[in-house]
Amino acid sequence: MDILGIDIGGSGIKGAIVDTLRGVFLTDRHRIDTPDPSTPKAVADVVAQLIDHFDWKGVVGCTFPAIVKRGVVYSAANVDKGWIGTDAHALFQEKTGLTFLVLNDADAAGLAEMAFGAGRDNKGIVMVLTFGTGIGSAIFVNHTLVPNTELGHLEIRGKGAERRASDATRKRKELDWEAWAVRVNEYLAHVEFLFSPDLIIFGGGVSKKHEEFFPFLQTQAKLVPAELLNDAGIIGAALAARHRMDYK
Ligand code: BGC
């Protein structure tokens, strides 16, 4: 079943038509800059442009970098605060006339990795952590997702973990790989203590460069890089729409 997947991120909004049975793109990926400020109206306009670009008429799967329950956004760490309380399903449907399934971005990336990437064939407790502007998390128990876990906001040394250990912080503070890894290790140790995962999948754009920093990371659980990289959000969003994962 082919579905349009859209991935809303802090810097770009990207889409592609996905073959959800094979987890591959059927079109090129199209990207439009995230508007600044990223208000609900401005983002909905970009989503509509993507729908037009693909001339899409079916169901749409869409990620959002915040807590999302049944389409309603409940947080806004790295997007315009006007999103809090917004019903994204209703907003996007009103704008485009199409039916949407909106879910958290890390949950979507996790679903894709579990189905087609580094987590396939893995039972037990699997954690997918995405390191980007923030830190996203998805937890799977025998392949079932526990949605909206928000483990990027665990507190470490009196600060939200993503403020200390995200990839954006590495860049902003110009940390070398080893110095960043010290922060990531501290975070991973905390997460492992709380959840005892069997497998940790390290995701986000920076996972492309895992050879630079994996040698400095230490975990009890098996640690592997994500395989679907920047495509994971789009593929996972399409997959979630196929399965209508809105937790009703
Ligand atoms: C948000 C999460 C999101 C993560 C990655 C965090 O700041 O609270 O919902 O999954 O960033 O984008």
Side-chain angles (χ1 to χ4, degrees), residues 197-214:
D198 301 296
L199 174 69
I200 298 176
I201 300 176
F202 199 106
V206 70
S207 61
K208 287 202 275 289
K209 300 187 190 137
H210 64 272
E211 279 162 8
E212 304 275 5
F213 58 90
F214 263 41

Side-chain angles (χ1 to χ4, degrees), residues 65-67 77-78 104-106 134-136 150 153 162:
I67 299 169
N78 296 309
N104 172 264
D105 57 353
I135 297 177
E150 291 294 324
H153 297 282
E162 69 178 23

Side-chain angles (χ1 to χ4, degrees), residues 158-204:
K159 266 194 183 177
E162 69 178 23
R163 298 248 155 263
R164 284 188 51 78
S166 68
D167 192 40
T169 299
R170 176 184 69 82
K171 291 179 183 152
R172 196 179 59 247
K173 292 193 170 281
E174 299 180 1
L175 300 173
D176 64 23
W177 293 113
E178 193 167 1
W180 182 55
V182 169
R183 292 171 175 235
V184 174
N185 270 331
E186 193 175 29
Y187 174 65
L188 293 177
H190 194 47
V191 163
E192 285 209 277
F193 176 68
L194 295 176
F195 295 96
S196 301
D198 301 296
L199 174 69
I200 298 176
I201 300 176
F202 199 106

Side-chain angles (χ1 to χ4, degrees), residues 24-137:
V24 294
F25 286 0
L26 297 171
T27 60
D28 281 346
R29 193 165 99 117
H30 189 65
R31 179 188 186 281
I32 299 175
D33 280 350
T34 305
D36 184 15
S38 51
T39 58
K41 187 185 170 313
V43 169
D45 285 346
V46 173
V47 166
Q49 285 174 44
L50 282 171
I51 306 283
D52 282 351
H53 172 86
F54 290 104
D55 194 20
W56 186 250
K57 310 263 188 284
V59 171
V60 185
C62 183
T63 77
F64 197 75
I67 299 169
V68 187
K69 274 190 98 166
R70 299 179 190 90
V72 179
V73 175
Y74 287 96
S75 66
N78 296 309
V79 285
D80 186 81
K81 304 288 176 240
W83 276 99
I84 297 175
T86 298
D87 182 337
H89 285 172
L91 174 73
F92 294 160
Q93 178 161 19
E94 224 163 82
K95 182 81 200 168
T96 65
L98 302 180
T99 301
F100 277 74
L101 188 289
V102 182
L103 78 166
N104 172 264
D105 57 353
D107 286 347
L111 288 169
E113 289 292 339
M114 292 305 285
F116 305 111
R120 60 183 179 273
D121 309 327
N122 272 282
K123 286 202 172 160
I125 312 293
V126 180
M127 301 191 73
V128 181
L129 299 171
T130 63
F131 291 76
T133 311
I135 297 177
S137 59

